[in-house]
Every structure is written in structure tokens, then in C-alpha cells.
Amino acid sequence: KYDSAAVYFERALAASPNYEDAYVGYIEDLFWEGNYEKAEKVLNQGLEKIGPSSVALKYRKSRLLNYRESYKEALDIAKEVFQADPKMEGLMAYIRNLQRLTRVNAVGGTYDYDSFMGAI
């Protein structure tokens, strides 16, 4: 029930506009809903109120760029987040996935081995 949650997040932000966890929760709710335009507005509002030093909000900005398929920019921000908080859970896997998505060329190979005993 994304709409119900959004009402409570908006109330929390109105009551305490400098509460980082309310921004993070609201952005996550909007990500799950798939409302990336609204998530960007809330994210920008949070970065304006709390400041660009917020690691949690920078990580969400990277994820927003990932959802919009701006993988290079998302990777750059994710690396900044890693420098600030290398112990963030799941961050390394996220970075590896972004690195995979930014590759231009990829080479793959397969092979088969058939063994025939006797006449064909």
C-alpha cells in the first residue's frame, strides 16, 4: 500500500524536515512503487535539507540513476559512497553489477565435446 505509506512519510517530513530516515524510507517506498519522478523530487529535497554529505541519500541517488539506465553516473556515485562507508551492506555486489552493466564489449565462448564409439 504505497499510497498509504506515502501519506505517513509526507507527514513525517512536514513535522521534521531534517530527518534523514524519513527521506530514505519515502524514497524506498517510491522505488517500490516505480514512481521515479516523485522519488527524484524527494531525493533532491532531502539533499537540499540534509546536505550532499548524506551517504544514504547519495546511495539512493545512485540507485535512481541505475533505474533510469544511467549506469556510468550511478557507478561514479556508488564509488563515492563506498569511499565514505565501505561496510554498507550489499554495496559491493551493487557496484559489481553496475560495472558489468557499463561494459561495452563482452566475449563469450561455448564448446561441445562429442565422442562417437564405433561407426556412424
Side-chain angles (χ1 to χ4, degrees):
K1 299 183 179 184
Y2 307 116
D3 294 338
S4 302
V7 169
Y8 290 104
F9 284 122
E10 288 174 1
R11 287 181 186 172
L13 291 174
S16 181
N18 293 326
Y19 186 47
E20 181 181 41
D21 288 340
Y23 288 105
V24 170
Y26 195 10
I27 292 166
E28 288 294 329
D29 177 56
L30 293 168
F31 282 169
W32 278 99
E33 183 181 0
N35 190 349
Y36 302 126
E37 291 77 25
K38 179 74 174 179
E40 182 177 21
K41 290 177 186 175
V42 173
L43 178 64
N44 291 335
Q45 180 184 0
L47 288 170
E48 181 182 306
K49 296 283 183 181
I50 295 171
S53 62
S54 171
V55 175
L57 291 177
K58 284 175 89 171
Y59 174 65
R60 274 32 180 221
K61 184 174 184 176
S62 174
R63 287 187 39 213
L64 178 64
L65 290 167
N66 179 27
Y67 293 141
R68 291 187 168 165
E69 298 179 2
S70 297
Y71 303 122
K72 177 71 173 121
E73 294 86 0
L75 180 60
D76 292 340
I77 294 173
K79 287 180 180 179
E80 290 176 22
V81 171
F82 180 75
Q83 293 295 320
D85 186 9
K87 294 184 180 183
M88 182 182 282
E89 186 175 340
L91 185 59
M92 284 303 297
Y94 174 69
I95 289 173
R96 293 283 180 232
N97 187 44
L98 287 174
Q99 287 173 334
R100 182 184 59 81
L101 291 169
T102 57
R103 290 187 190 131
V104 175
N105 296 322
V107 176
T110 61
Y111 69 92
D112 279 340
Y113 176 76
D114 292 326
S115 174
F116 297 101
M117 299 293 189
I120 297 179

